[in-house]
Amino acid sequence: MKRILFFSLVSAVALGLGCGGGGGGGGGPSETAASLTSDGWTQFEGGSYQNAISKFNEALALDADYAEAYSGLGWAYARLDSLDKALNAFSQCISHGMTTADPYAGLAPVHRDLDPPQFSQAASSASTALNKDSDYVFSHYQSFDWRDLHLIKAQSYYGLGQYTNAKAEVDVLGGVSLDPQSDTFEEDLGSEIERLEGLYGG
């Protein structure tokens, strides 16, 4: 009887220790804002932008101050051409404390592609991103990098009629050297920016 009682007690203790689900005894939710955001980025990298948005929103439902989830929303909405929503998400990301280049890099094409385009803000956002990381590469979509940011600056300056500044960005990208004194300079510059867009338009 004592032996049976001993094993019964051991089993009860073992079951009791197992009730925490292996989570350190906290009994908290298995998903966090960070883990849901990580899932969102996985969906994003696979091209499932709507699913990514759902995950990022789930993360924000757990922690409304989680800046990385706002960044994810911004990029996903931008890929879906939901530009107003992307603009708002990136703005929220910055206001909630993100200091990396990512939200500014995301804002640059959003401002450029709005109707009407916001070229001044696009150039400013691209400049801020490059000031934070001159060799910028977006880790979740690596075809978008510093070249795209310089291209956006070239496009924006051209749209603003700041042709000398646009030429400087073309030069950074290794474009054809153009003569500002040429009668066809503006036309040639526009053509060169268009050519570079075909190379670097991530």
Side-chain angles (χ1 to χ4, degrees):
M1 290 294 293
K2 290 181 180 180
R3 187 177 179 86
I4 294 172
L5 178 61
F6 173 77
F7 282 116
S8 297
L9 287 171
V10 169
S11 298
V13 170
L15 287 172
L17 290 175
C19 288
S30 60
E31 292 183 317
T32 64
S35 67
L36 286 165
T37 299
S38 178
D39 291 344
W41 283 125
T42 298
Q43 293 291 330
F44 180 94
E45 291 167 6
S48 299
Y49 302 122
Q50 198 61 59
N51 290 339
I53 287 168
S54 296
K55 288 295 182 181
F56 295 135
N57 277 324
E58 287 180 44
L60 290 170
L62 290 181
D63 183 354
D65 295 323
Y66 196 60
E68 181 70 22
Y70 285 113
S71 178
L73 278 180
W75 284 98
Y77 280 130
R79 296 300 297 172
L80 292 173
D81 291 324
S82 296
L83 302 182
D84 289 333
K85 291 181 178 180
L87 184 64
N88 179 66
F90 284 131
S91 298
Q92 290 282 353
C93 175
I94 293 167
S95 70
H96 283 86
M98 182 169 282
T99 59
T100 67
D102 279 353
Y104 299 97
L107 278 170
V110 170
H111 282 302
R112 178 199 61 191
D113 295 341
L114 285 170
D115 185 16
Q118 298 179 348
F119 288 129
S120 181
Q121 294 93 324
S124 176
S125 295
S127 292
T128 300
L130 288 165
N131 287 338
K132 289 176 176 291
D133 184 356
S134 61
D135 297 318
Y136 179 78
V137 178
F138 181 43
S139 62
H140 301 290
Y141 189 76
Q142 294 188 8
S143 65
F144 188 94
D145 60 20
W146 61 272
R147 299 174 185 85
D148 294 280
L149 294 173
H150 282 290
L151 177 62
I152 290 167
K153 290 181 71 177
Q155 294 166 330
S156 298
Y157 288 139
Y158 190 87
L160 292 167
Q162 299 177 14
Y163 302 119
T164 301
N165 289 339
K167 179 186 181 302
E169 299 301 324
V170 167
D171 291 343
V172 170
L173 292 169
V176 174
S177 181
L178 301 171
D179 180 7
Q181 304 305 317
S182 169
D183 291 339
T184 60
F185 171 65
E186 294 177 16
E187 180 181 349
D188 294 341
L189 180 61
S191 297
E192 183 59 8
I193 291 172
E194 187 175 351
R195 184 185 74 83
L196 290 171
E197 183 178 352
L199 296 177
Y200 303 127

